[in-house]
Amino acid sequence: MAMVVEFSPTEEEFIHAQAVAANLSAELFARDAVLKAARNAAYIAKLEESDRQIKEGKVKKFTSEEWEKFVNEQNV
């Protein structure tokens, strides 16, 4: 899939400088940055979902002893 993203001249200069510092082409640097931002957004969404579940009391809480017992009972 091809995408077109427009940047201001100042943004282009910044991206180019960061690409040079990373020893990458501007295109590859931008591609990697977009993918990293997408992965970060997905991770943040998971954290927010976990936070919502905690606030709604939809989680199981373990004491240290309960956690150790649970782990020791697993057939790994």
Side-chain angles (χ1 to χ4, degrees), residues 11-73:
E11 292 167 334
E12 286 182 21
E13 288 177 25
F14 176 71
I15 292 168
H16 180 73
Q18 296 305 308
V20 168
N23 198 27
L24 297 170
S25 68
E27 292 82 6
L28 186 55
F29 179 82
R31 179 186 178 278
D32 289 350
V34 168
L35 289 172
K36 181 178 181 179
R39 286 189 298 269
N40 286 346
Y43 180 68
I44 288 170
K46 288 180 182 180
L47 291 175
E48 289 172 344
E49 175 63 14
S50 294
D51 188 49
R52 183 190 63 75
Q53 290 174 348
I54 289 169
K55 288 177 180 173
E56 292 177 0
K58 296 182 177 179
V59 296
K60 171 73 172 136
K61 295 181 182 180
F62 287 92
T63 65
S64 301
E65 294 79 18
E66 290 171 327
W67 183 248
E68 187 172 340
K69 180 181 175 192
F70 172 80
V71 170
N72 289 333
E73 290 175 350

